[in-house]
């Protein structure tokens, strides 16, 4: 089963997302840690295939099992962006960063601060929340 997970990862690395999904959907009985990787890989594949709602649903499943999984949160964020649901995308960043410190999201926080500076984000509650999260994660200059 772990070999199948590696085969799927190799296919993903080569941009072959549908064959990877076919393998991932048929893997059963993995240890908990490997199951988390299976869900992460599936969400990533669906996002790259443009099946954003499926990607969101799988990322949600993974985040319920592992609320600290920043990659799953980012895939969910990107999937919401793919759905052009920018409010939910922003909600996902805020939800995740309210519970966790940023690693991968630091760049996104810096981009959001730039959007605030350039007037693209105007709602004061959101601006305040983003600035608070940026300060918490050492992104404010």
């Amino acid at each position: 089963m772990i070999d199948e997970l590696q085969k799927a990862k190799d296919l993903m690395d080569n941009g072959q997302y549908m064959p990877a999904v076919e393998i991932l959907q048929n893997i059963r009985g993995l240890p908990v840690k490997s199951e988390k990787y299976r869900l992460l890989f599936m969400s990533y594949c669906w996002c790259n295939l443009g099946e954003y709602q499926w990607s969101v649903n799988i990322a949600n499943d993974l985040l319920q099992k592992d609320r600290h999984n920043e990659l799953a949160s980012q895939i969910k964020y990107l999937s919401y962006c793919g759905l052009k649901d920018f409010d939910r995308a922003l909600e996902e960043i805020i939800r995740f960063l309210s519970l966790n410190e940023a690693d991968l999201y630091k760049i996104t926080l810096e981009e959001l601060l730039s959007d605030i500076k350039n007037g693209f984000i105007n709602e004061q509650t959101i601006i305040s929340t983003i600035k608070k999260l940026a300060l918490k994660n050492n992104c404010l200059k």
Side-chain angles (χ1 to χ4, degrees):
M1 288 181 267
I2 302 296
D3 290 339
E4 294 297 304
L5 198 57
Q6 184 60 53
K7 283 182 196 174
K9 174 72 169 85
D10 292 343
L11 287 167
M12 289 169 45
D13 289 345
N14 289 315
Q16 298 178 5
Y17 301 111
M18 199 60 215
V21 165
E22 291 169 3
I23 290 171
L24 293 166
Q25 286 178 327
N26 292 313
I27 299 175
R28 302 281 182 266
L30 288 171
V32 173
K33 185 176 180 179
S34 296
E35 176 61 12
K36 289 177 184 178
Y37 279 112
R38 186 185 78 81
L39 291 172
L40 183 67
F41 294 168
M42 289 223 357
S43 184
Y44 180 78
C45 286
W46 286 125
C47 183
N48 279 285
L49 289 166
E51 295 291 346
Y52 301 117
Q53 191 59 57
W54 287 357
S55 180
V56 166
N57 294 344
I58 294 168
N60 271 336
D61 288 346
L62 178 52
L63 287 164
Q64 287 180 3
K65 296 173 195 233
D66 180 6
R67 69 184 182 119
H68 303 292
N69 194 315
E70 193 170 4
L71 286 171
S73 178
Q74 276 204 322
I75 293 169
K76 184 177 172 183
Y77 162 77
L78 293 170
S79 295
Y80 277 134
C81 288
L83 290 167
K84 304 215 181 315
D85 191 340
F86 302 113
D87 290 338
R88 282 196 176 154
L90 189 55
E91 285 172 13
E92 176 55 27
I93 292 172
I94 292 169
R95 182 206 63 79
F96 184 84
L97 292 176
S98 295
L99 301 170
N100 304 284
E101 287 189 23
D103 184 19
L104 302 172
Y105 269 133
K106 282 189 178 192
I107 293 169
T108 306
L109 274 171
E110 290 168 358
E111 291 170 349
L112 289 170
L113 289 170
S114 178
D115 286 348
I116 290 169
K117 183 179 176 183
N118 293 324
F120 299 129
I121 298 174
N122 299 307
E123 189 177 323
Q124 287 305 312
T125 311
I126 292 173
I127 290 171
S128 174
T129 301
I130 291 170
K131 285 184 176 181
K132 184 170 48 173
L133 292 170
L135 182 62
K136 174 183 162 188
N137 288 283
N138 300 317
C139 294
L140 271 181
K141 297 175 182 172

